[in-house]
Amino acid sequence: MSHKNTTLSLKDYNTFGLDVLAKNLIFLKDLEQLKEIEDIKECFFIGGGSNILLTKDLDKTVIVNQTSGITIISEDDDYVELAIASGENWHNLVLHCIEMGYGGIENMSLIPGSVGAAPMQNIGAYGKEIKDVLTYVDAVDIQTLKTIRFTNAECQFGYRESIFKKEAKGKYFIAEVGLKLTKRYHKTNTSYGDIEAWLQERCFTEPTIRDVSNAVIAIRKSKLPDPSDLGNSGSFFKNPIIGKSHFETLKDKFPTIKSYPIDENNVKVPAGWLIESLGWKGKRVGNTGSHAKQALVLVNYGNAQGSEVYQLAKDIQQSVWDTYQISLDMEVNVI
Ligand code: EPU
């Protein structure tokens, strides 16, 4: 039985399902509301809560972003540009676009979280990233409450990286995102092995954006736990990038290790492989563990504390370091 004040619990606002308390909770419905919030600089913003690990109660006002709206800014026969309020759910946006026949984000079906959080870590899956279609991010400067527009280049996107995780961290509230999508001649990307296999099995020789979305949904459902059944935050770690010579040394010792090319000096190693190879996959530690079907995903079996999940993450990092001398970076923001 919980002694916690359920009205201030953040359990329903983070996909790990961690039961920590906020000092105060505000549901943001429109941007005007920002002007009325006292001491906004001290507040903590939550979007879909899909990329945070809450390890303690927050002695802060928590603002849950529930802004909404998807509008067309411009369109011609080939393209449409949409302005999307940051509080919209990402997957609902993907489904809306497929319904309307707009292509470009179908590979990113079923990624949990809000539209506002998507550019922050440049979400991506199955060969596409949001940076491939994003035109701008409108962000409210929390000091001045003025809205500043960041172009795609100004967002400084990288692999699960953007300016909002670096020098702009904590300074802005992402309010709106612009995306340019195709209305015809969609450039579907089905090169990712799992997608290709799924489509081939069903004889889809010229897959539509809906077919690709259905493939992605099926693949994700088969590997990644649904946060409403089993709390999680998707991939907990990033796939590390290491030097080729380091990789060659490891390959001699561990012949089954995998890699993907990055550039002439570096390769990316699947963190899931590293973690699985050390016996963590499917292993339960107290109320947490590495998921049985995807080692890179840490889960909450029901009553985990954020600190337990964090400890497991640190233990995994240490064991990967001890064996492979590779440092795993957390993709999730630990609070
Ligand atoms: N692998 C294992 N064991 C595992 C999991 C993976 O050996 O338990 C190895 C396999 O060799 C597999 C390879 O890792 O072929 C890649 O696995 P997978 O296709 O599942 O993708 P991932 O690299 O683990 C990344 C993203 C996911 C994204 C998928 C598909 C990161 C950190 N994660 O995972 O994104 O959905 O590719 O594009 O880049 C997320 O960021 O939260 C996320 C779920």
Side-chain angles (χ1 to χ4, degrees), residues 51 111 121 124-127 159-160 192 194 220 223-224 233-239 258 260 268 270-274 276 281 291-297 331:
N51 205 36
I111 295 185
Q121 57 149 350
Y126 308 104
Y159 167 54
R160 298 293 188 276
Y192 200 90
D194 285 349
R220 288 188 75 100
K223 282 191 187 175
L224 299 168
S233 242
S235 301
F236 198 92
F237 303 98
K238 292 191 209 178
N239 287 325
K258 294 193 176 178
Y260 309 105
K268 194 186 258 188
W273 186 93
L274 297 170
E276 181 174 350
K281 188 173 183 173
H291 189 54
K293 293 184 187 153
Q294 219 313 356
L296 198 46
V297 177
E331 186 189 294

mmCIF file of all heavy atoms in Angstrom, residues 51 111 121 124-127 159-160 192 194 220 223-224 233-239 258 260 268 270-274 276 281 291-297 331, ligand 1:
data_model
loop_
_atom_site.group_PDB
_atom_site.id
_atom_site.type_symbol
_atom_site.label_atom_id
_atom_site.label_comp_id
_atom_site.label_asym_id
_atom_site.label_seq_id
_atom_site.Cartn_x
_atom_site.Cartn_y
_atom_site.Cartn_z
ATOM 1 N N ASN A 51 11.814 9.341 -21.694
ATOM 2 C CA ASN A 51 13.277 9.266 -21.746
ATOM 3 C C ASN A 51 13.911 9.740 -20.442
ATOM 4 O O ASN A 51 14.999 10.294 -20.432
ATOM 5 C CB ASN A 51 13.794 10.088 -22.937
ATOM 6 C CG ASN A 51 15.138 9.585 -23.409
ATOM 7 O OD1 ASN A 51 15.392 8.375 -23.389
ATOM 8 N ND2 ASN A 51 16.014 10.492 -23.782
ATOM 9 N N ILE A 111 7.252 4.911 -31.481
ATOM 10 C CA ILE A 111 8.234 5.413 -30.508
ATOM 11 C C ILE A 111 7.440 6.162 -29.433
ATOM 12 O O ILE A 111 6.665 7.053 -29.751
ATOM 13 C CB ILE A 111 9.272 6.360 -31.169
ATOM 14 C CG1 ILE A 111 10.114 5.582 -32.184
ATOM 15 C CG2 ILE A 111 10.162 7.021 -30.110
ATOM 16 C CD1 ILE A 111 11.238 6.375 -32.820
ATOM 17 N N GLN A 121 16.403 14.500 -28.482
ATOM 18 C CA GLN A 121 17.396 13.426 -28.614
ATOM 19 C C GLN A 121 17.413 12.869 -30.036
ATOM 20 O O GLN A 121 17.889 11.767 -30.259
ATOM 21 C CB GLN A 121 17.159 12.338 -27.579
ATOM 22 C CG GLN A 121 15.785 11.724 -27.624
ATOM 23 C CD GLN A 121 15.830 10.279 -27.199
ATOM 24 O OE1 GLN A 121 16.899 9.706 -27.059
ATOM 25 N NE2 GLN A 121 14.682 9.679 -26.997
ATOM 26 N N GLY A 124 15.083 8.211 -33.502
ATOM 27 C CA GLY A 124 15.290 7.516 -34.765
ATOM 28 C C GLY A 124 15.026 6.041 -34.605
ATOM 29 O O GLY A 124 15.082 5.504 -33.500
ATOM 30 N N ALA A 125 14.691 5.410 -35.725
ATOM 31 C CA ALA A 125 14.519 3.959 -35.730
ATOM 32 C C ALA A 125 14.490 3.469 -37.165
ATOM 33 O O ALA A 125 13.995 4.179 -38.056
ATOM 34 C CB ALA A 125 13.214 3.562 -35.030
ATOM 35 N N TYR A 126 15.032 2.285 -37.375
ATOM 36 C CA TYR A 126 14.967 1.594 -38.663
ATOM 37 C C TYR A 126 15.378 2.486 -39.838
ATOM 38 O O TYR A 126 14.688 2.568 -40.859
ATOM 39 C CB TYR A 126 13.565 0.974 -38.852
ATOM 40 C CG TYR A 126 13.194 0.138 -37.652
ATOM 41 C CD1 TYR A 126 12.289 0.592 -36.705
ATOM 42 C CD2 TYR A 126 13.847 -1.073 -37.426
ATOM 43 C CE1 TYR A 126 12.018 -0.151 -35.565
ATOM 44 C CE2 TYR A 126 13.578 -1.812 -36.301
ATOM 45 C CZ TYR A 126 12.672 -1.355 -35.377
ATOM 46 O OH TYR A 126 12.419 -2.080 -34.247
ATOM 47 N N GLY A 127 16.496 3.181 -39.638
ATOM 48 C CA GLY A 127 17.083 3.921 -40.757
ATOM 49 C C GLY A 127 16.574 5.336 -40.971
ATOM 50 O O GLY A 127 16.940 5.983 -41.944
ATOM 51 N N TYR A 159 23.726 11.576 -33.544
ATOM 52 C CA TYR A 159 23.111 10.322 -33.107
ATOM 53 C C TYR A 159 22.590 10.489 -31.667
ATOM 54 O O TYR A 159 23.374 10.617 -30.745
ATOM 55 C CB TYR A 159 24.140 9.189 -33.223
ATOM 56 C CG TYR A 159 23.745 7.905 -32.528
ATOM 57 C CD1 TYR A 159 22.540 7.285 -32.796
ATOM 58 C CD2 TYR A 159 24.593 7.331 -31.592
ATOM 59 C CE1 TYR A 159 22.182 6.125 -32.148
ATOM 60 C CE2 TYR A 159 24.255 6.157 -30.943
ATOM 61 C CZ TYR A 159 23.040 5.564 -31.217
ATOM 62 O OH TYR A 159 22.680 4.411 -30.567
ATOM 63 N N ARG A 160 21.258 10.534 -31.521
ATOM 64 C CA ARG A 160 20.574 10.769 -30.235
ATOM 65 C C ARG A 160 21.112 12.030 -29.539
ATOM 66 O O ARG A 160 21.204 12.094 -28.318
ATOM 67 C CB ARG A 160 20.723 9.568 -29.291
ATOM 68 C CG ARG A 160 20.109 8.294 -29.798
ATOM 69 C CD ARG A 160 18.588 8.358 -29.894
ATOM 70 N NE ARG A 160 18.017 7.065 -30.205
ATOM 71 C CZ ARG A 160 17.893 6.564 -31.442
ATOM 72 N NH1 ARG A 160 18.298 7.261 -32.491
ATOM 73 N NH2 ARG A 160 17.355 5.371 -31.625
ATOM 74 N N TYR A 192 16.453 -1.710 -43.612
ATOM 75 C CA TYR A 192 16.759 -2.358 -42.340
ATOM 76 C C TYR A 192 16.313 -3.828 -42.399
ATOM 77 O O TYR A 192 15.160 -4.112 -42.765
ATOM 78 C CB TYR A 192 16.014 -1.614 -41.230
ATOM 79 C CG TYR A 192 16.578 -1.833 -39.857
ATOM 80 C CD1 TYR A 192 17.562 -1.001 -39.335
ATOM 81 C CD2 TYR A 192 16.124 -2.881 -39.066
ATOM 82 C CE1 TYR A 192 18.070 -1.201 -38.074
ATOM 83 C CE2 TYR A 192 16.632 -3.086 -37.797
ATOM 84 C CZ TYR A 192 17.606 -2.244 -37.311
ATOM 85 O OH TYR A 192 18.116 -2.453 -36.058
ATOM 86 N N ASP A 194 15.254 -6.314 -40.543
ATOM 87 C CA ASP A 194 13.992 -6.814 -39.977
ATOM 88 C C ASP A 194 12.788 -6.365 -40.806
ATOM 89 O O ASP A 194 11.829 -7.112 -40.991
ATOM 90 C CB ASP A 194 13.802 -6.283 -38.548
ATOM 91 C CG ASP A 194 14.700 -6.998 -37.545
ATOM 92 O OD1 ASP A 194 15.291 -8.017 -37.919
ATOM 93 O OD2 ASP A 194 14.808 -6.520 -36.396
ATOM 94 N N ARG A 220 8.567 -3.807 -33.540
ATOM 95 C CA ARG A 220 8.747 -3.207 -32.207
ATOM 96 C C ARG A 220 7.967 -4.005 -31.163
ATOM 97 O O ARG A 220 8.472 -4.250 -30.072
ATOM 98 C CB ARG A 220 8.309 -1.742 -32.194
ATOM 99 C CG ARG A 220 9.253 -0.820 -32.945
ATOM 100 C CD ARG A 220 8.877 0.638 -32.739
ATOM 101 N NE ARG A 220 9.253 1.122 -31.424
ATOM 102 C CZ ARG A 220 10.343 1.841 -31.182
ATOM 103 N NH1 ARG A 220 11.154 2.196 -32.155
ATOM 104 N NH2 ARG A 220 10.624 2.241 -29.963
ATOM 105 N N LYS A 223 9.680 -7.136 -29.954
ATOM 106 C CA LYS A 223 10.942 -7.048 -29.203
ATOM 107 C C LYS A 223 10.873 -6.126 -27.995
ATOM 108 O O LYS A 223 11.530 -6.368 -26.988
ATOM 109 C CB LYS A 223 12.015 -6.424 -30.116
ATOM 110 C CG LYS A 223 12.614 -7.333 -31.129
ATOM 111 C CD LYS A 223 13.818 -6.625 -31.719
ATOM 112 C CE LYS A 223 14.389 -7.397 -32.868
ATOM 113 N NZ LYS A 223 15.472 -6.652 -33.509
ATOM 114 N N LEU A 224 10.133 -5.022 -28.163
ATOM 115 C CA LEU A 224 10.190 -3.992 -27.131
ATOM 116 C C LEU A 224 8.951 -4.056 -26.250
ATOM 117 O O LEU A 224 7.833 -4.131 -26.756
ATOM 118 C CB LEU A 224 10.291 -2.601 -27.781
ATOM 119 C CG LEU A 224 11.536 -2.388 -28.648
ATOM 120 C CD1 LEU A 224 11.407 -1.111 -29.477
ATOM 121 C CD2 LEU A 224 12.779 -2.308 -27.780
ATOM 122 N N SER A 233 12.021 2.606 -20.760
ATOM 123 C CA SER A 233 12.302 3.849 -21.473
ATOM 124 C C SER A 233 12.966 3.574 -22.813
ATOM 125 O O SER A 233 13.830 4.328 -23.237
ATOM 126 C CB SER A 233 13.253 4.683 -20.622
ATOM 127 O OG SER A 233 12.648 5.870 -20.277
ATOM 128 N N GLY A 234 12.601 2.503 -23.460
ATOM 129 C CA GLY A 234 13.258 2.153 -24.730
ATOM 130 C C GLY A 234 14.718 1.802 -24.473
ATOM 131 O O GLY A 234 15.066 1.315 -23.391
ATOM 132 N N SER A 235 15.552 2.073 -25.448
ATOM 133 C CA SER A 235 16.982 1.774 -25.266
ATOM 134 C C SER A 235 17.518 2.605 -24.110
ATOM 135 O O SER A 235 17.393 3.824 -24.124
ATOM 136 C CB SER A 235 17.768 2.144 -26.516
ATOM 137 O OG SER A 235 17.302 1.438 -27.629
ATOM 138 N N PHE A 236 18.110 1.938 -23.146
ATOM 139 C CA PHE A 236 18.629 2.685 -21.988
ATOM 140 C C PHE A 236 19.984 3.301 -22.292
ATOM 141 O O PHE A 236 20.326 4.365 -21.785
ATOM 142 C CB PHE A 236 18.730 1.762 -20.764
ATOM 143 C CG PHE A 236 18.833 2.529 -19.484
ATOM 144 C CD1 PHE A 236 17.689 2.853 -18.767
ATOM 145 C CD2 PHE A 236 20.061 2.978 -19.028
ATOM 146 C CE1 PHE A 236 17.777 3.617 -17.607
ATOM 147 C CE2 PHE A 236 20.152 3.731 -17.863
ATOM 148 C CZ PHE A 236 19.013 4.055 -17.155
ATOM 149 N N PHE A 237 20.754 2.606 -23.159
ATOM 150 C CA PHE A 237 22.093 3.083 -23.517
ATOM 151 C C PHE A 237 22.139 3.392 -25.007
ATOM 152 O O PHE A 237 21.345 2.862 -25.787
ATOM 153 C CB PHE A 237 23.151 2.013 -23.225
ATOM 154 C CG PHE A 237 23.179 1.548 -21.798
ATOM 155 C CD1 PHE A 237 22.541 0.376 -21.415
ATOM 156 C CD2 PHE A 237 23.839 2.286 -20.830
ATOM 157 C CE1 PHE A 237 22.551 -0.060 -20.101
ATOM 158 C CE2 PHE A 237 23.865 1.857 -19.503
ATOM 159 C CZ PHE A 237 23.218 0.683 -19.142
ATOM 160 N N LYS A 238 23.110 4.223 -25.376
ATOM 161 C CA LYS A 238 23.353 4.450 -26.810
ATOM 162 C C LYS A 238 24.262 3.336 -27.318
ATOM 163 O O LYS A 238 25.035 2.752 -26.542
ATOM 164 C CB LYS A 238 24.097 5.763 -27.009
ATOM 165 C CG LYS A 238 23.293 6.986 -26.685
ATOM 166 C CD LYS A 238 24.081 8.167 -27.199
ATOM 167 C CE LYS A 238 23.836 9.399 -26.418
ATOM 168 N NZ LYS A 238 24.627 10.527 -26.886
ATOM 169 N N ASN A 239 24.217 3.085 -28.610
ATOM 170 C CA ASN A 239 25.179 2.152 -29.194
ATOM 171 C C ASN A 239 26.530 2.870 -29.274
ATOM 172 O O ASN A 239 26.625 3.933 -29.891
ATOM 173 C CB ASN A 239 24.713 1.729 -30.586
ATOM 174 C CG ASN A 239 23.528 0.770 -30.531
ATOM 175 O OD1 ASN A 239 23.431 -0.058 -29.634
ATOM 176 N ND2 ASN A 239 22.623 0.896 -31.476
ATOM 177 N N LYS A 258 29.715 -7.731 -33.134
ATOM 178 C CA LYS A 258 29.168 -7.111 -34.348
ATOM 179 C C LYS A 258 29.543 -5.641 -34.434
ATOM 180 O O LYS A 258 29.822 -5.003 -33.409
ATOM 181 C CB LYS A 258 27.653 -7.226 -34.346
ATOM 182 C CG LYS A 258 27.176 -8.639 -34.445
ATOM 183 C CD LYS A 258 25.710 -8.676 -34.756
ATOM 184 C CE LYS A 258 25.280 -10.126 -34.956
ATOM 185 N NZ LYS A 258 23.872 -10.245 -35.207
ATOM 186 N N TYR A 260 28.802 -1.841 -37.072
ATOM 187 C CA TYR A 260 28.275 -1.167 -38.258
ATOM 188 C C TYR A 260 29.252 -0.050 -38.612
ATOM 189 O O TYR A 260 29.771 0.630 -37.709
ATOM 190 C CB TYR A 260 26.900 -0.534 -37.980
ATOM 191 C CG TYR A 260 25.913 -1.498 -37.364
ATOM 192 C CD1 TYR A 260 25.582 -1.422 -36.011
ATOM 193 C CD2 TYR A 260 25.319 -2.484 -38.136
ATOM 194 C CE1 TYR A 260 24.689 -2.331 -35.445
ATOM 195 C CE2 TYR A 260 24.424 -3.380 -37.578
ATOM 196 C CZ TYR A 260 24.113 -3.290 -36.229
ATOM 197 O OH TYR A 260 23.233 -4.188 -35.668
ATOM 198 N N LYS A 268 30.324 1.437 -35.108
ATOM 199 C CA LYS A 268 29.336 1.427 -34.028
ATOM 200 C C LYS A 268 29.143 -0.025 -33.615
ATOM 201 O O LYS A 268 29.036 -0.904 -34.472
ATOM 202 C CB LYS A 268 28.033 2.007 -34.553
ATOM 203 C CG LYS A 268 27.038 2.375 -33.476
ATOM 204 C CD LYS A 268 25.720 2.796 -34.090
ATOM 205 C CE LYS A 268 25.541 4.300 -34.103
ATOM 206 N NZ LYS A 268 24.196 4.705 -34.513
ATOM 207 N N PRO A 270 26.739 -2.711 -31.488
ATOM 208 C CA PRO A 270 25.426 -2.776 -30.832
ATOM 209 C C PRO A 270 25.555 -3.059 -29.334
ATOM 210 O O PRO A 270 26.064 -4.115 -28.933
ATOM 211 C CB PRO A 270 24.693 -3.902 -31.558
ATOM 212 C CG PRO A 270 25.691 -4.619 -32.379
ATOM 213 C CD PRO A 270 26.936 -3.790 -32.477
ATOM 214 N N ALA A 271 25.086 -2.099 -28.549
ATOM 215 C CA ALA A 271 25.167 -2.249 -27.088
ATOM 216 C C ALA A 271 24.402 -3.491 -26.643
ATOM 217 O O ALA A 271 24.794 -4.165 -25.682
ATOM 218 C CB ALA A 271 24.618 -1.000 -26.411
ATOM 219 N N GLY A 272 23.298 -3.812 -27.361
ATOM 220 C CA GLY A 272 22.504 -4.997 -27.013
ATOM 221 C C GLY A 272 23.368 -6.253 -27.058
ATOM 222 O O GLY A 272 23.250 -7.129 -26.200
ATOM 223 N N TRP A 273 24.250 -6.326 -28.054
ATOM 224 C CA TRP A 273 25.131 -7.493 -28.168
ATOM 225 C C TRP A 273 26.092 -7.554 -26.971
ATOM 226 O O TRP A 273 26.290 -8.619 -26.361
ATOM 227 C CB TRP A 273 25.932 -7.434 -29.487
ATOM 228 C CG TRP A 273 26.741 -8.675 -29.716
ATOM 229 C CD1 TRP A 273 26.366 -9.783 -30.411
ATOM 230 C CD2 TRP A 273 28.055 -8.963 -29.181
ATOM 231 N NE1 TRP A 273 27.349 -10.734 -30.355
ATOM 232 C CE2 TRP A 273 28.402 -10.263 -29.614
ATOM 233 C CE3 TRP A 273 28.959 -8.249 -28.383
ATOM 234 C CZ2 TRP A 273 29.623 -10.861 -29.276
ATOM 235 C CZ3 TRP A 273 30.174 -8.850 -28.032
ATOM 236 C CH2 TRP A 273 30.490 -10.132 -28.492
ATOM 237 N N LEU A 274 26.692 -6.413 -26.653
ATOM 238 C CA LEU A 274 27.667 -6.380 -25.549
ATOM 239 C C LEU A 274 26.994 -6.836 -24.244
ATOM 240 O O LEU A 274 27.539 -7.655 -23.502
ATOM 241 C CB LEU A 274 28.216 -4.952 -25.360
ATOM 242 C CG LEU A 274 29.001 -4.358 -26.536
ATOM 243 C CD1 LEU A 274 29.275 -2.874 -26.304
ATOM 244 C CD2 LEU A 274 30.318 -5.119 -26.742
ATOM 245 N N GLU A 276 24.152 -8.539 -23.834
ATOM 246 C CA GLU A 276 23.732 -9.957 -23.895
ATOM 247 C C GLU A 276 24.918 -10.887 -23.691
ATOM 248 O O GLU A 276 24.831 -11.886 -22.981
ATOM 249 C CB GLU A 276 23.056 -10.247 -25.247
ATOM 250 C CG GLU A 276 22.595 -11.688 -25.338
ATOM 251 C CD GLU A 276 21.777 -12.016 -26.584
ATOM 252 O OE1 GLU A 276 21.387 -11.092 -27.313
ATOM 253 O OE2 GLU A 276 21.550 -13.216 -26.811
ATOM 254 N N LYS A 281 21.061 -10.290 -20.356
ATOM 255 C CA LYS A 281 19.772 -10.310 -21.059
ATOM 256 C C LYS A 281 18.769 -11.208 -20.335
ATOM 257 O O LYS A 281 19.062 -12.372 -20.059
ATOM 258 C CB LYS A 281 19.972 -10.797 -22.492
ATOM 259 C CG LYS A 281 18.729 -10.673 -23.356
ATOM 260 C CD LYS A 281 19.035 -11.013 -24.790
ATOM 261 C CE LYS A 281 17.829 -10.831 -25.674
ATOM 262 N NZ LYS A 281 18.165 -10.993 -27.088
ATOM 263 N N HIS A 291 15.667 -6.540 -20.401
ATOM 264 C CA HIS A 291 14.525 -7.232 -21.011
ATOM 265 C C HIS A 291 14.952 -8.520 -21.733
ATOM 266 O O HIS A 291 15.999 -8.573 -22.368
ATOM 267 C CB HIS A 291 13.839 -6.289 -21.995
ATOM 268 C CG HIS A 291 12.547 -6.806 -22.519
ATOM 269 N ND1 HIS A 291 11.513 -7.225 -21.708
ATOM 270 C CD2 HIS A 291 12.097 -6.961 -23.777
ATOM 271 C CE1 HIS A 291 10.505 -7.614 -22.438
ATOM 272 N NE2 HIS A 291 10.820 -7.475 -23.709
ATOM 273 N N ALA A 292 14.108 -9.543 -21.654
ATOM 274 C CA ALA A 292 14.447 -10.852 -22.217
ATOM 275 C C ALA A 292 14.550 -10.838 -23.741
ATOM 276 O O ALA A 292 15.249 -11.659 -24.326
ATOM 277 C CB ALA A 292 13.400 -11.875 -21.788
ATOM 278 N N LYS A 293 13.849 -9.893 -24.401
ATOM 279 C CA LYS A 293 13.887 -9.897 -25.867
ATOM 280 C C LYS A 293 14.763 -8.797 -26.446
ATOM 281 O O LYS A 293 14.973 -8.751 -27.656
ATOM 282 C CB LYS A 293 12.466 -9.750 -26.416
ATOM 283 C CG LYS A 293 11.600 -10.944 -26.125
ATOM 284 C CD LYS A 293 10.255 -10.763 -26.771
ATOM 285 C CE LYS A 293 9.294 -11.866 -26.372
ATOM 286 N NZ LYS A 293 7.920 -11.406 -26.443
ATOM 287 N N GLN A 294 15.219 -7.870 -25.609
ATOM 288 C CA GLN A 294 16.082 -6.774 -26.082
ATOM 289 C C GLN A 294 16.922 -6.326 -24.897
ATOM 290 O O GLN A 294 16.446 -5.599 -24.028
ATOM 291 C CB GLN A 294 15.201 -5.630 -26.585
ATOM 292 C CG GLN A 294 15.625 -4.871 -27.811
ATOM 293 C CD GLN A 294 17.066 -4.401 -27.907
ATOM 294 O OE1 GLN A 294 17.885 -4.555 -26.997
ATOM 295 N NE2 GLN A 294 17.395 -3.823 -29.043
ATOM 296 N N ALA A 295 18.180 -6.745 -24.894
ATOM 297 C CA ALA A 295 19.031 -6.515 -23.724
ATOM 298 C C ALA A 295 19.249 -5.029 -23.411
ATOM 299 O O ALA A 295 19.552 -4.667 -22.274
ATOM 300 C CB ALA A 295 20.381 -7.199 -23.950
ATOM 301 N N LEU A 296 19.077 -4.182 -24.429
ATOM 302 C CA LEU A 296 19.352 -2.747 -24.273
ATOM 303 C C LEU A 296 18.252 -2.016 -23.499
ATOM 304 O O LEU A 296 18.410 -0.866 -23.113
ATOM 305 C CB LEU A 296 19.478 -2.156 -25.693
ATOM 306 C CG LEU A 296 20.133 -0.839 -25.936
ATOM 307 C CD1 LEU A 296 21.436 -0.721 -25.178
ATOM 308 C CD2 LEU A 296 20.372 -0.645 -27.428
ATOM 309 N N VAL A 297 17.144 -2.716 -23.282
ATOM 310 C CA VAL A 297 16.001 -2.097 -22.599
ATOM 311 C C VAL A 297 15.966 -2.562 -21.134
ATOM 312 O O VAL A 297 15.905 -3.764 -20.873
ATOM 313 C CB VAL A 297 14.685 -2.492 -23.319
ATOM 314 C CG1 VAL A 297 13.478 -1.932 -22.586
ATOM 315 C CG2 VAL A 297 14.711 -2.002 -24.768
ATOM 316 N N GLU A 331 21.339 6.700 -22.638
ATOM 317 C CA GLU A 331 20.518 7.523 -23.531
ATOM 318 C C GLU A 331 19.441 8.248 -22.703
ATOM 319 O O GLU A 331 19.002 9.337 -23.035
ATOM 320 C CB GLU A 331 19.861 6.602 -24.575
ATOM 321 C CG GLU A 331 19.102 7.353 -25.641
ATOM 322 C CD GLU A 331 18.271 6.439 -26.547
ATOM 323 O OE1 GLU A 331 18.852 5.641 -27.277
ATOM 324 O OE2 GLU A 331 17.045 6.564 -26.502
HETATM 325 N N1 EPU B 1 21.502 -7.259 -30.184
HETATM 326 C C1 EPU B 1 21.855 -8.364 -29.424
HETATM 327 N N2 EPU B 1 21.108 -8.648 -28.325
HETATM 328 C C2 EPU B 1 20.034 -7.914 -27.953
HETATM 329 C C3 EPU B 1 19.683 -6.794 -28.725
HETATM 330 C C4 EPU B 1 20.435 -6.478 -29.830
HETATM 331 O O1 EPU B 1 22.822 -9.057 -29.730
HETATM 332 O O2 EPU B 1 19.420 -8.251 -26.940
HETATM 333 C C5 EPU B 1 22.307 -6.926 -31.369
HETATM 334 C C6 EPU B 1 21.959 -7.762 -32.581
HETATM 335 O O3 EPU B 1 23.158 -7.995 -33.263
HETATM 336 C C7 EPU B 1 21.098 -6.885 -33.427
HETATM 337 C C8 EPU B 1 21.686 -5.516 -33.120
HETATM 338 O O4 EPU B 1 22.105 -5.590 -31.744
HETATM 339 O O5 EPU B 1 21.214 -7.194 -34.778
HETATM 340 C C9 EPU B 1 20.722 -4.367 -33.303
HETATM 341 O O6 EPU B 1 19.567 -4.588 -32.507
HETATM 342 P P1 EPU B 1 18.200 -3.817 -32.827
HETATM 343 O O7 EPU B 1 17.881 -3.885 -34.277
HETATM 344 O O8 EPU B 1 17.163 -4.312 -31.868
HETATM 345 O O9 EPU B 1 18.537 -2.299 -32.553
HETATM 346 P P2 EPU B 1 19.393 -1.565 -31.420
HETATM 347 O O10 EPU B 1 20.679 -1.129 -32.008
HETATM 348 O O11 EPU B 1 19.441 -2.376 -30.187
HETATM 349 C C10 EPU B 1 18.532 0.807 -32.099
HETATM 350 C C11 EPU B 1 17.912 1.986 -31.422
HETATM 351 C C12 EPU B 1 16.430 1.747 -31.182
HETATM 352 C C13 EPU B 1 15.752 1.493 -32.515
HETATM 353 C C14 EPU B 1 16.441 0.310 -33.202
HETATM 354 C C15 EPU B 1 15.939 0.071 -34.615
HETATM 355 C C16 EPU B 1 19.677 3.003 -30.117
HETATM 356 C C17 EPU B 1 20.250 3.224 -28.757
HETATM 357 N N3 EPU B 1 18.589 2.252 -30.163
HETATM 358 O O12 EPU B 1 18.457 -0.283 -31.179
HETATM 359 O O13 EPU B 1 15.877 2.912 -30.632
HETATM 360 O O14 EPU B 1 14.377 1.221 -32.352
HETATM 361 O O15 EPU B 1 17.867 0.552 -33.317
HETATM 362 O O16 EPU B 1 16.361 1.111 -35.439
HETATM 363 O O17 EPU B 1 20.204 3.519 -31.101
HETATM 364 C C18 EPU B 1 15.525 3.973 -28.520
HETATM 365 O O18 EPU B 1 16.388 4.780 -28.873
HETATM 366 O O19 EPU B 1 14.911 4.061 -27.433
HETATM 367 C C19 EPU B 1 15.211 2.868 -29.410
HETATM 368 C C20 EPU B 1 14.376 1.882 -29.072
#
